[in-house]
Amino acid sequence: MSSGPLALGLANLLLRPGARSRRTPDRAFDRLLAEAGRAYGDEQFVDDFRFLLRCWADAEDLTPVGWLSARRHVGRHLAGRAGIRRLIAENPAIEEEPIERPVFVVGLPRTATTLTHGVLSLSGEHRCPMLWELLTPGLYREPGERDRAITAARRLVGSIDLFAPHFRDIHRLLPEGPEECTFALPHTVMPLSQARVPGYLAWHRARDFVPDYRHLKRVYQVLQYGRPRRRWVLKSPLHLENLDALRTVFPDATIVWTHRDPETVVASFCSLVEHGMAVSTSPVDLYWIGATWLELLSRSAARGLASRAAIPPEALVDVPYSWLAGEPATGAPKLYAAMGAAWTDSEAARLSAVTARPGRARPHRYDLARYGLTRDDVAAAFADYDALRAEVDRA
């Protein structure tokens, strides 16, 4: 047995007494809220996370580590929201910070969104949020505040590496590296990558996400306040299903949409979910992962396609997978040119540092059949999107 399962088994054993709080999720939530510091006038935000923790408490096959992860997830968002509200109350000018012409890298997961984000981070004219900033957004004016935030991010990544050592072979998290908006967005489908929470899934489908993007904007206003203004380059595959809400809050955004064949996308992402879910759920139902995420990913693609027609052509950049995953020295200048940014010798000299994939213990292998899916299942679910992808590849 590898060190990951051994460490996870020991942690579940030690955390079993604390997992009893799962029987009373409202009481557990009230403790988290007290620790975060309640901000009055924010009742809807609070109620939404209370609902999420209730759903998590009902999750089938959730482990003690999974319940701890759920409470930490909810507690972090409550504390982050309360902190941002306090900062704005003390510094009202934060809400006047302009987030101008931001770039959002979107696309189905496993389509090189991370690589695209990394390539765009090379420019000194661009500003990408670091993982530690997204986990603990602040002004970092007090002595040691920045160091504490970085240390917290290192601990989070360290725990993931300890309990799921092969996760980093699929998606490597760097505490002080560029990371995606998923960590700052209040509500996404990512709880479904950790637990079976059908009540939350139904609620998520009916949600208005504009308030979530308003919160996201405040996060970046806080991170920009008192610092040099550069063009924000942001990223998350999960933006694809909410482009209308995104563009309501960021109307001058440039959308950089990455593309890859859906068969590979679904198989690769199901593998990612399997490795992540194994930390929080036991046993892991592989066929549930396949059925759930085929539906979620195809829905995301369909919603993205429905929003696409309203995006001005000058604000939309399509990036075939081959541009950066195949020939980055050729594709990176194309990407910069398409979004009106300058590609210089400075960026070219550092390109290999972004495109290299060091530290992999083993290659990432995946197979649709492992998750109860076939090529025909994927082809039927993504027919409209695949037609667009083929068109992008031909262009």
Side-chain angles (χ1 to χ4, degrees):
M1 184 179 288
S2 69
S3 59
L6 281 172
L8 187 57
L10 179 60
N12 277 318
L13 184 64
L14 294 174
L15 291 170
R16 189 174 295 164
R20 296 191 189 102
S21 65
R22 186 178 162 194
R23 302 169 189 166
T24 54
D26 281 346
R27 190 179 301 171
F29 182 87
D30 288 338
R31 285 195 291 269
L32 295 172
L33 189 57
E35 292 169 5
R38 181 158 197 157
Y40 291 95
D42 215 9
E43 283 77 11
Q44 188 60 57
F45 186 91
V46 170
D47 288 347
D48 288 346
F49 273 96
R50 183 184 294 276
F51 174 77
L52 171 58
L53 193 64
R54 286 173 182 166
C55 291
W56 229 319
D58 288 338
E60 189 176 342
D61 299 321
L62 192 69
T63 64
V65 167
W67 178 236
L68 176 64
S69 298
R71 284 179 287 145
R72 285 184 173 174
H73 174 96
V74 169
R76 177 174 64 79
H77 278 282
L78 292 174
R81 175 76 163 205
I84 286 172
R85 287 176 66 90
R86 284 194 295 268
L87 289 173
I88 291 175
E90 295 164 4
N91 307 273
I94 287 173
E95 289 200 293
E96 303 303 317
E97 281 290 323
I99 307 298
E100 296 176 325
R101 300 172 52 248
V103 176
F104 283 87
V105 179
V106 310
L108 291 167
R110 317 305 298 161
T111 58
T113 54
T114 299
L115 178 56
T116 303
H117 194 216
V119 169
L120 291 175
S121 75
L122 294 172
S123 173
E125 301 296 316
H126 296 162
R127 167 78 157 93
C128 297
M130 304 294 109
L131 176 58
W132 66 270
E133 294 178 305
L134 292 167
L135 292 172
T136 317
L139 300 182
Y140 315 115
R141 289 174 171 171
E142 299 298 323
E145 188 178 13
R146 184 179 185 275
D147 290 340
R148 287 192 294 273
I150 293 173
T151 298
R154 288 174 178 165
R155 285 175 179 161
L156 172 66
V157 173
S159 66
I160 294 171
D161 288 347
L162 175 64
F163 293 146
H166 297 306
F167 187 89
R168 62 187 169 194
D169 296 329
I170 308 172
H171 180 76
R172 193 178 182 204
L173 293 170
L174 300 173
E176 296 173 74
E179 208 24 271
E180 61 185 49
C181 305
T182 306
F183 289 95
L185 273 170
H187 293 283
T188 70
V189 292
M190 290 318 290
L192 291 154
S193 69
Q194 300 175 57
R196 297 172 65 173
V197 281
Y200 180 72
L201 174 56
W203 178 85
H204 179 274
R205 286 193 180 110
R207 183 170 177 76
D208 174 10
F209 282 89
V210 170
D212 290 45
Y213 281 91
R214 288 185 179 135
H215 172 82
L216 187 67
K217 181 178 180 180
R218 291 188 190 103
V219 169
Y220 295 127
Q221 287 175 314
V222 164
L223 295 178
Q224 181 174 280
Y225 184 67
R227 302 175 178 95
R229 292 176 183 169
R230 292 177 287 163
R231 190 180 189 186
W232 282 98
V233 176
L234 310 168
K235 168 249 177 177
S236 175
L238 304 185
H239 291 316
L240 187 60
E241 70 169 337
N242 293 314
L243 290 178
D244 289 344
L246 184 158
R247 295 185 65 250
T248 296
V249 178
F250 301 96
D252 60 346
T254 294
I255 306 299
V256 175
W257 188 336
T258 58
H259 300 275
R260 191 181 189 185
D261 72 278
E263 182 182 337
T264 303
V265 164
V266 173
S268 178
F269 190 69
C270 284
S271 175
L272 176 72
V273 171
E274 178 189 350
H275 283 84
M277 201 168 190
V279 175
S280 301
T281 301
S282 181
V284 175
D285 186 336
L286 300 181
Y287 281 23
W288 179 90
I289 289 175
T292 298
W293 282 99
L294 177 66
E295 192 273 331
L296 288 173
L297 294 176
S298 61
R299 178 179 182 271
S300 177
R303 285 171 61 91
L305 287 173
S307 300
R308 183 182 173 94
I311 302 175
E314 64 273 14
L316 178 63
V317 178
D318 286 308
V319 181
Y321 187 76
S322 60
W323 272 20
L324 299 179
E327 297 290 338
T330 303
K334 285 186 194 176
L335 170 62
Y336 271 60
M339 52 176 283
W343 178 260
T344 70
D345 290 343
S346 175
E347 287 81 30
R350 291 180 293 132
L351 179 61
S352 61
V354 172
T355 56
R357 311 189 80 174
R360 284 193 159 211
R362 64 179 187 180
H364 181 206
R365 295 188 174 92
Y366 39 84
D367 180 14
L368 279 174
R370 180 172 175 80
Y371 307 100
L373 300 174
T374 67
R375 298 178 66 179
D376 288 344
D377 293 332
V378 176
F382 288 91
D384 291 340
Y385 168 73
D386 213 23
L388 169 66
R389 183 193 62 83
E391 184 180 325
V392 167
D393 285 346
R394 287 193 299 268

